[in-house]
Amino acid sequence: MTSMRVLIKNAAFNICYTTLDLFLPLVMIVYVARILLPDGVGQVSYAQNIALFFVSFAELGLPVYGIREISRSRNQRDLNQVFSELFFINFVSTTCSLAAYLMLIAHVTDMRDQLPLFLACGTSIFFGYFNIDWLYQGREEYVYIVSRSILIKLISLTSVFLFVHTSGDYVKYALIISLSGGCNHILNVLHVRKFASPVLKGLSPKRHVKPLLILAVGTLLPNIYGRIDIAMLGMMSTKAATGYYSYANTAIFMITTVCTSISTVFFPRLCYYYEKDREEFDKLLQLGMRVLMFISIPACVGIFLLIPKVVMILFGSEFLPMVKTVRILAILIIMSSFSHLICYQMLLITGNEKEQIPAYFAAAMVNIGLNYMFIPLWENNGAAAASVISELVVNGYRLYKVRCSNAFDVPWKALWQALAAAAGMGIAVVFVIRIDMPLVSQCAAGIAGGCLVYGILNLLMKNELTEAMVRKFVKKTESRR
């Protein structure tokens, strides 16, 4: 019971962190969209995308591998050793990645012409030297993560308001974004002695190399097909199309991140239960699936219906071409949410991360080929279609591998309840947004009415999660009397 309370507490903190972590950048990109316009957004997105390739190379799969190894550390001595070994590996990989990035921008004419922009984005690679987020997540220090992230996001948002005023300030904007991530990493290092003490003797970083390389390939390949869209759009289409796709992708990513925030908290505990208690592991996995069904399905329906209103309110008419792109990508809210728990985490927890490599390789090839065909025809919408098809390829293969080695039950009842309630919610939203009233009122009424209908329908169908939330609310209300 105690461990479940801790898990619920961590989930609550992680939801809070994720929501604020997305809300503050949302305010920022709304402001930036109206200042930099699609061309400026596209320029920054293209440069950031190139830099993030090298950030991924520097990480070598450490963000996930580090969480797993820290959560498995049996005592403080083991934790100190694992931390020191992984920190050393991170130092070496970041040095190599930073050197490769500097060589690239020195030899590519288009990048040299935009040297200040690419250097500003490249600082995110340098700050990788201090990236030890995996230590805090492995220790389940979500209170600290929330506090730190809110502070840095507020500072970066204030900085954007102070320094980004014209369409020519796109380099300043790129630098602020890179520095905000760097400040997170530096605060982590300053705070580290409360949780781990670096050691120099008796280290054996070689023991991590093989699993890290396997995981790195599995991390880099999805990054290739996940980012190749923007890279190919930047080369084959206009900066405006790149901006539309970047913001559409960001919108879907924000919603997916909220949907997966709970399953992210489950990961350290699932790792532990898989080794110690398979019955609790199965229960926790079932709970994760029910939660994702309950959240991701209505989120997909809601964004599909409300996105024209949202774009007009947040970004203005200049960004209306991204509406169709968001609708194409909307299915990824459901697909990515489930794949994160069922495919990605399950393969890592069971030590079968190498099974992801052929899936990611095939998906990357499919993505590149489809982008090459679709972008000249449909620009940002073509890139979106390529992304969806690639996700189907990679997740279909991973799901097959997971089911072959670790059979699990699908909570079909919860799935049908979520689908039926989301359909009813969709009808309600369509009715509400057709009422003649201001855009903001339409959007707010659509969200409120949709949530209300979704909740009522789930109660009528006796959905377990909804009933549990109502019981908890009633219990708290009675305790306050």
Side-chain angles (χ1 to χ4, degrees), residues 56 59-62 64-65 68 89 206-222 344 347-348 350-361 398:
S56 298
E59 289 177 343
L60 271 182
L62 276 167
V64 176
Y65 180 82
R68 187 179 74 182
I89 292 172
K206 289 183 179 180
R207 67 192 176 107
H208 302 290
V209 172
K210 183 178 179 180
L212 264 175
L213 287 177
I214 293 172
L215 190 57
V217 174
T219 303
L220 290 173
L221 285 174
Y344 186 64
L347 288 173
L348 292 175
T350 58
N352 292 313
E353 53 264 32
K354 64 181 179 181
E355 298 289 354
Q356 300 187 94
I357 295 175
Y360 285 137
F361 181 79
R398 292 194 301 178

Side-chain angles (χ1 to χ4, degrees), residues 38-203:
D39 283 346
V41 170
Q43 282 184 299
V44 175
S45 297
Y46 178 65
Q48 286 177 329
N49 193 63
I50 299 298
L52 286 172
F53 273 116
F54 290 86
V55 171
S56 298
F57 275 102
E59 289 177 343
L60 271 182
L62 276 167
V64 176
Y65 180 82
I67 295 173
R68 187 179 74 182
E69 295 305 301
I70 292 296
S71 68
R72 288 178 174 176
S73 298
R74 292 168 295 179
N75 52 53
Q76 189 63 43
R77 181 180 177 182
D78 288 344
L79 189 146
N80 291 341
Q81 182 171 353
V82 169
F83 168 75
S84 301
E85 291 167 348
L86 296 183
F87 188 84
F88 173 77
I89 292 172
N90 180 68
F91 180 87
V92 174
S93 63
T94 300
T95 300
C96 295
S97 188
L98 184 60
Y101 180 76
L102 293 174
M103 290 176 61
L104 178 68
I105 62 176
H107 288 86
V108 177
T109 304
D110 289 344
M111 295 183 180
R112 286 203 309 271
D113 292 342
Q114 288 279 2
L115 187 61
L117 175 60
F118 280 91
L119 288 178
C121 293
T123 57
S124 59
I125 307 171
F126 170 78
F127 283 118
Y129 283 117
F130 313 103
N131 186 0
I132 54 171
D133 269 351
W134 37 268
L135 170 66
Y136 296 94
Q137 292 186 48
R139 289 291 304 269
E140 302 184 54
E141 295 293 334
Y142 291 102
V143 176
Y144 164 74
I145 292 172
V146 169
S147 305
R148 179 210 66 193
S149 181
I150 293 172
L151 174 64
I152 298 301
K153 287 292 191 303
L154 284 171
I155 293 172
S156 62
L157 179 61
T158 304
S159 299
V160 168
F161 288 152
L162 288 175
F163 298 110
V164 180
H165 301 130
T166 69
S167 59
D169 291 335
Y170 60 91
V171 176
K172 294 179 183 178
Y173 169 63
L175 183 60
I176 290 169
I177 298 301
S178 296
L179 290 176
S180 65
C183 289
N184 275 317
H185 298 333
I186 290 173
L187 284 177
N188 281 348
V189 171
L190 294 176
H191 196 61
V192 71
R193 284 195 173 273
K194 292 186 179 181
F195 305 102
S197 299
V199 295
L200 299 176
K201 295 182 179 180
L203 298 182

Side-chain angles (χ1 to χ4, degrees), residues 270 274 278-279 281-290 292-293 338-347 350 395-412 415:
L270 283 170
Y274 185 78
R278 291 297 178 88
E279 185 177 346
F281 174 84
D282 291 336
K283 288 180 181 178
L284 195 56
L285 184 63
Q286 287 286 311
L287 177 61
M289 285 190 283
R290 290 200 302 271
L292 289 177
M293 290 170 183
F338 278 95
S339 71
H340 185 266
L341 175 66
I342 301 302
C343 300
Y344 186 64
Q345 289 193 20
M346 283 286 284
L347 288 173
T350 58
N395 290 323
Y397 180 86
R398 292 194 301 178
L399 181 60
Y400 170 75
K401 286 296 182 181
V402 168
R403 293 285 290 177
C404 285
S405 57
N406 297 278
F408 58 87
D409 295 325
V410 177
W412 292 108
L415 175 60

